[in-house]
Amino acid sequence: MKITSARLIICSPDRNFVTLKIETDEGIYGLGDATLNGRELAVASYLSEHVCPCLIGRDPSQIEDIWQYLYRGAYWRRGPVTMTAIAAVDVALWDIKGKALNTPVYNLLGGKSRDGVMVYAHANGRDIDETVDSVRKEMELGYIAVRAQSGIPGMSGTYGVPKGTKAYEPAERGLPSESLWSSERYLRAAPKLFERLRVELGEDVHLLHDVHHRLTPIEAARLGKALEPANLFWMEDPVPAELQEGFKLIREHTTTPIATGEVFNSFWDAHDLIRNQWIDYLRMTIVHGGGLTALKKAADFAAIYHVRTGCHGATDLSPVTMAAALHFGLSIHNFGVQEHMRHSALTDAVFPHEYTFSAGYMYPGDKPGLGVDIDETLAAKYPYERAYLPLARKLDGTLTDW
Ligand code: KDG
Ligand code: MG
């Protein structure tokens, strides 16, 4: 089999997506997600200008060799643009291999290690009452793990809470918006939210929370301690993770489990975090971490250190990534949980898929390959629109981590 074409489909069915379609001389094609939120066209250009021409004529079954060719062969390593582009190629090749061998991708990754993939939903509200109601609604839908984000008294808005009545979506069309942030006010509010959630909703539901990189290590240590009575499943991204040793300080002070890595694009971003056992869950994800080939290696290394996976799964990761994540989560041994921020009905229509949700778990389906497609005619009706993630400033105007 030979690759005959590799082309991009860029569309915006409620939000932007970049999808790579690799076609072969045997009529089999594969899809890969290449979406990098707010920097979509950089990846599209990297692929169309530099990567796609090198794929034509290659044997698509040589997944490992093509991965190494694109990683080592570029000389310039790592970085979100490069690794998202490599991931798109890699995932499309796994999709092709599954279809060619007439088996779902999870079988190529070692077969089922479990029956279903536990997912967590998003809940949010402007205040504690609204957030409690929102978590309850997700539980009524069948979720057994829910992430809770709430507005902070005295602050006009924060990460994870919608500005209007629509479902929360961080990317905004137009130029980047700016919001204000106060770690002091947040640190007073967050423990009260989780205390209430446990009183109202009991001990059984897994509760998760995303700090979204906003604290210093000592502040995060204090938050982790304050949250211990609420027995969280995890506290996510307590600090920006460029400084891996920052997690040592957090770890020394709290037993609240820690998850990080959604912005990682290389295993090396997590190397110290894993081998020192400073984290419990690795959030590195297929689309930004170099594909299934790279994630499998990272997960196998993490397994040795009791670190489990908790792959990023926000709406900017397309249904192609969601499908890949479910095949991955079903097969690896050290799976922890998978994020499930539901796509809009329009996004789902553009990407028809086999995966399903039932009673807290998701299932990739048994169709050969990934079990996800793209309706190119529908996609063409929703052209790309520039969009950005917001920025955050401290109360005195200093730019801080969003
Ligand atoms: O593109 C950025 C979003 O995917 C991110 O802000 C979402 O933190 C996030 C999460 O945990 O889903
Ligand atoms: Mg996050």
Side-chain angles (χ1 to χ4, degrees):
M1 195 189 291
K2 294 265 180 281
I3 296 174
T4 50
S5 103
R7 61 187 172 84
L8 293 163
I9 302 148
I10 305 173
C11 60
S12 195
D14 288 337
R15 67 161 346 283
N16 290 323
F17 294 109
V18 179
T19 308
L20 176 69
K21 185 167 186 174
I22 298 185
E23 290 162 306
T24 66
D25 57 355
E26 294 189 16
I28 295 176
Y29 64 86
L31 297 180
D33 180 18
T35 311
L36 183 63
N37 210 1
R39 296 291 185 270
E40 293 86 358
L41 299 188
V43 185
S45 158
Y46 189 99
L47 278 164
S48 60
E49 289 297 317
H50 307 293
V51 172
C52 293
C54 303
L55 297 175
I56 309 303
R58 284 184 187 278
D59 175 355
S61 71
Q62 294 184 319
I63 298 178
E64 177 71 28
D65 185 63
I66 292 176
W67 194 96
Q68 300 293 344
Y69 180 93
L70 296 176
Y71 182 76
R72 292 172 201 277
Y75 185 63
W76 311 108
R77 296 184 187 201
R78 304 168 57 174
V81 174
T82 301
M83 299 311 286
T84 302
I86 294 177
V89 175
D90 184 75
V91 170
L93 296 183
W94 283 102
D95 191 21
I96 290 173
K97 194 182 281 278
K99 289 173 179 169
L101 298 177
N102 199 29
T103 195
V105 167
Y106 66 76
N107 268 339
L108 306 175
L109 301 174
K112 284 187 188 181
S113 284
R114 54 193 55 76
D115 299 326
V117 174
M118 182 170 76
V119 292
Y120 70 89
H122 281 205
N124 50 46
R126 281 167 298 183
D127 54 27
I128 293 184
D129 286 339
E130 273 190 19
T131 310
V132 171
D133 282 351
S134 175
V135 175
R136 192 177 280 119
K137 279 192 193 117
E138 297 303 317
M139 291 168 68
E140 283 163 8
L141 290 174
Y143 288 93
I144 55 177
V146 184
R147 184 190 96 158
Q149 307 293 135
S150 181
I152 303 166
M155 306 299 296
S156 61
T158 189
Y159 166 75
V161 180
K163 284 180 183 159
T165 50
K166 281 188 165 173
Y168 179 67
E169 168 54 59
E172 294 163 342
R173 288 167 178 169
L175 292 174
S177 67
E178 298 192 6
S179 56
L180 285 178
W181 173 252
S182 160
S183 293
E184 294 76 18
R185 291 180 191 175
Y186 166 72
L187 284 167
R188 284 200 295 272
K192 291 183 192 149
L193 167 67
F194 285 92
E195 198 185 324
R196 258 294 287 293
L197 284 168
R198 280 296 175 217
V199 169
E200 303 266 348
L201 304 171
E203 293 294 328
D204 284 341
V205 60
H206 294 307
L207 293 175
L208 300 83
H209 181 63
D210 192 349
V211 184
H212 219 260
H213 327 265
R214 293 182 175 202
L215 298 177
T216 63
I218 199 67
E219 288 169 344
R222 186 177 132 205
L223 178 64
K225 274 173 95 162
L227 292 173
E228 276 170 24
N231 197 16
L232 259 60
F233 187 92
W234 78 33
M235 169 171 81
E236 177 185 336
D237 286 335
V239 292
E242 287 97 326
L243 179 70
Q244 296 188 34
E245 288 132 74
F247 286 79
K248 178 171 188 285
L249 196 149
I250 306 171
R251 195 59 146 183
E252 281 166 354
H253 289 91
T254 179
T255 55
T256 294
I258 299 167
T260 198
E262 68 180 41
V263 301
F264 294 177
N265 51 73
S266 162
F267 161 74
W268 296 105
D269 294 332
H271 184 224
D272 290 341
L273 293 173
I274 294 170
R275 70 189 177 89
N276 289 304
Q277 300 175 63
W278 290 333
I279 59 169
D280 301 278
Y281 296 93
L282 180 63
R283 286 199 30 84
M284 198 170 142
T285 188
I286 290 157
V287 55
H288 303 136
L292 284 163
T293 297
L295 257 281
K296 179 89 171 87
K297 289 173 187 177
D300 287 345
F301 180 79
I304 299 167
Y305 295 93
H306 303 284
V307 175
R308 288 183 279 166
T309 63
C311 291
H312 188 199
T315 38
D316 45 303
L317 286 70
S318 91
V320 178
T321 289
M322 191 62 191
L326 294 174
H327 287 273
F328 178 70
L330 201 66
S331 60
I332 57 166
H333 179 253
N334 55 327
F335 167 78
V337 72
Q338 168 64 45
E339 181 175 11
H340 183 214
M341 183 180 176
R342 291 185 293 275
H343 286 116
S344 73
L346 184 58
T347 298
D348 281 340
V350 167
F351 294 94
H353 50 258
E354 292 297 303
Y355 59 74
T356 51
F357 169 83
S358 169
Y361 293 83
M362 286 181 78
Y363 304 86
D366 295 321
K367 224 176 162 186
L370 291 172
V372 63
D373 212 336
I374 184 162
D375 180 337
E376 293 191 53
T377 314
L378 188 57
K381 292 190 183 152
Y382 302 95
Y384 167 82
E385 282 183 53
R386 184 162 45 227
Y388 290 95
L389 289 169
L391 308 176
R393 291 188 185 274
K394 293 183 185 176
L395 298 182
D396 69 355
T398 309
L399 197 89
T400 186
D401 298 290
W402 172 74

